[in-house]
Amino acid sequence: MTGMPAAQRLSPIEQVGPDHRRVLVDLGDRAYPVDVGAGVRRLLPAVVARLGARRAVIVSARPAGTVPDPGVPALRVAARDGEVDKTLANVEALCSQFAGFGLTRSDVIISCGGGTTTDVVGLAAALYHRGTTVVHLPTSLLAQVDASVGGKTAVNLPAGKNLVGAYWQPSAVLCDTELLATLPRREWVNGYGEIARAHFIGAPDLMDRPVGEQIAASVALKAGVVARDERDGSLRHILNYGHTLGHALERVSDYAMRHGEAVAVGTVFAGRLAGALGRIRPERVAEHLDVVRGYGLPWALPAEVDLDALIAVMRLDKKSMGTGLTFVLDRASGPDEASGPELVADVDEALVRATLAAMPRETA
Ligand code: GLY
């Protein structure tokens, strides 16, 4: 399935207005639209009316006024973006507020914030009354291109990131590009790491395109993948291109390296490893560096990073079935088009080490 032609992985993008695109995540009777464009958060009352909700709880990590009036009586709850607040205690606290407000299963929960907020509110929605409708208003580039779409929700445990979660699809996602205007540069880099990796798993060339188009195309890719493999059985693994090393870099840097930064370096590495395994030609290996640099992303390993520590963490990667090293790796297009990225298990450690050792390093 991973070898399907890249173009077939993309869901259609409907051009609703000059700067308004819509992608359907086609999960049958759980299908939902992702609207992308300037001002689309103002569709919220229409979305709530379509869902038939009579009340809403709005959990927002953004200033008052970011989330429009949903058109039904609403409780507003303040949240905070960040990994430290992705806890089961916060899920419990949110559910208690839902209950205190008298929220029923046929009402709606609305999240507004970055990916950490959509993750924790999504999990609370999955658990409250065994599943309550949720609408996401993601406000970071990373959350708009990836985290808010596809139904993965999770919180952290002291033992690790995203260890407790559920698949719970939203009923709508509103990616308002106006909300990106004030993001600091590092937040843009965080999102562009995921857009750059999308280049290698079936997205069209998005460099130099308007941000709304970049987001919609990344969402179209993700929607196509999720519609075929909602629960990560096979095809969905490709969304983790560049992530085996990426997650390890985040972890060994104690999350000083942001997700998108780490995925960017991991994407360069994935290209080099595929090249070392003879899966792709040198030009395709070089394309990895060109794309990552083209988006202004980091491409080198941190100066002092310990390769043994990286390898130890990569062995624990959740894509791995055992203790071997598992990567999503590209493979050259053949005449039958049965090519493209796929999960490759038990990659030789000596080759991984040599490829890591040959990676460019930041200067100390
Ligand atoms: N972010 C990867 C996924 O949603 O599967």
Side-chain angles (χ1 to χ4, degrees):
M1 191 151 199
T2 46
M4 69 198 295
Q8 286 182 18
R9 288 185 210 126
L10 294 167
S11 289
I13 300 174
E14 182 191 349
Q15 192 77 44
V16 181
D19 186 15
H20 180 184
R21 298 170 175 85
R22 181 173 292 149
V23 177
L24 190 72
V25 183
D26 191 357
L27 289 164
D29 59 3
R30 292 175 299 123
Y32 57 94
V34 181
D35 285 89
V36 181
V40 298
R41 67 187 183 284
R42 291 188 268 278
L43 297 173
L44 185 66
V47 168
V48 169
R50 170 176 65 78
L51 295 171
R54 285 173 308 158
R55 292 157 38 102
V57 175
I58 298 166
V59 185
S60 175
R62 291 293 174 270
T66 307
V67 181
D69 185 334
V72 294
L75 172 71
R76 289 182 185 254
V77 176
R80 210 170 48 164
D81 277 339
E83 291 294 333
V84 288
D85 280 344
K86 273 179 59 172
T87 61
L88 276 171
N90 273 341
V91 171
E92 183 179 355
L94 284 175
C95 289
S96 295
Q97 302 210 54
F98 302 159
F101 186 59
L103 201 75
T104 71
R105 283 190 65 203
S106 45
D107 292 328
V108 65
I109 297 162
I110 296 158
S111 81
C112 175
T116 52
T117 294
T118 59
D119 267 6
V120 72
V121 178
L123 183 58
L127 297 175
Y128 185 70
H129 286 312
R130 300 192 184 89
T132 301
T133 304
V134 65
V135 172
H136 294 312
L137 270 69
T139 58
S140 70
L141 185 59
L142 183 70
Q144 294 195 357
V145 297
D146 187 47
S148 65
V149 177
K152 280 190 181 172
T153 73
V155 294
N156 305 328
L157 293 181
K161 194 176 165 183
N162 291 342
L163 286 186
V164 178
Y167 292 94
W168 185 248
Q169 299 293 341
S171 294
V173 182
L174 300 174
C175 298
D176 193 330
T177 52
E178 281 177 0
L179 300 176
L180 304 176
T182 53
L183 289 183
R185 178 175 151 67
R186 227 175 148 193
E187 276 298 326
W188 284 95
V189 166
N190 210 22
Y192 274 121
E194 295 287 15
I195 293 176
R197 76 86 171 84
H199 180 100
F200 297 98
I201 58 175
D205 185 0
L206 297 171
M207 204 145 351
D208 305 323
R209 305 305 304 164
V211 71
E213 194 179 325
Q214 292 174 327
I215 296 166
S218 301
V219 168
L221 173 69
K222 184 156 189 181
V225 170
V226 168
R228 287 174 178 82
D229 178 24
E230 183 183 4
R231 290 184 172 240
D232 246 338
S234 55
L235 181 66
R236 192 163 177 166
H237 289 309
I238 70 169
L239 298 175
N240 283 324
Y241 197 75
H243 282 56
T244 307
L245 178 61
H247 284 148
L249 285 168
E250 281 184 272
R251 179 93 179 268
V252 303
S253 71
D254 209 11
Y255 300 99
M257 217 167 162
R258 304 290 304 279
H259 183 69
E261 295 168 341
V263 166
V265 179
T267 296
V268 173
F269 175 74
R272 286 174 167 237
L273 188 59
L277 286 164
R279 298 171 59 90
I280 55 174
R281 291 183 295 278
E283 312 85 74
R284 180 72 166 168
V285 176
E287 192 179 336
H288 285 71
L289 185 57
D290 291 346
V291 168
V292 166
R293 288 175 76 159
Y295 279 106
L297 299 167
W299 71 88
L301 289 178
E304 304 300 338
V305 78
D306 177 354
L307 301 191
D308 289 328
L310 285 178
I311 289 174
V313 174
M314 288 196 288
R315 284 197 177 282
L316 301 175
D317 189 87
K318 65 180 185 295
K319 294 184 289 305
S320 174
M321 304 299 173
T323 55
L325 290 163
T326 302
F327 297 86
V328 181
L329 295 176
D330 199 9
R331 141 174 89 118
S333 298
D336 60 355
E337 288 196 296
S339 62
E342 62 185 354
L343 199 62
V344 182
D346 293 322
V347 180
D348 177 48
E349 179 174 326
L351 187 70
V352 171
R353 185 180 298 277
T355 309
L356 276 174
M359 281 283 285
R361 289 263 187 163
E362 285 171 356
T363 44

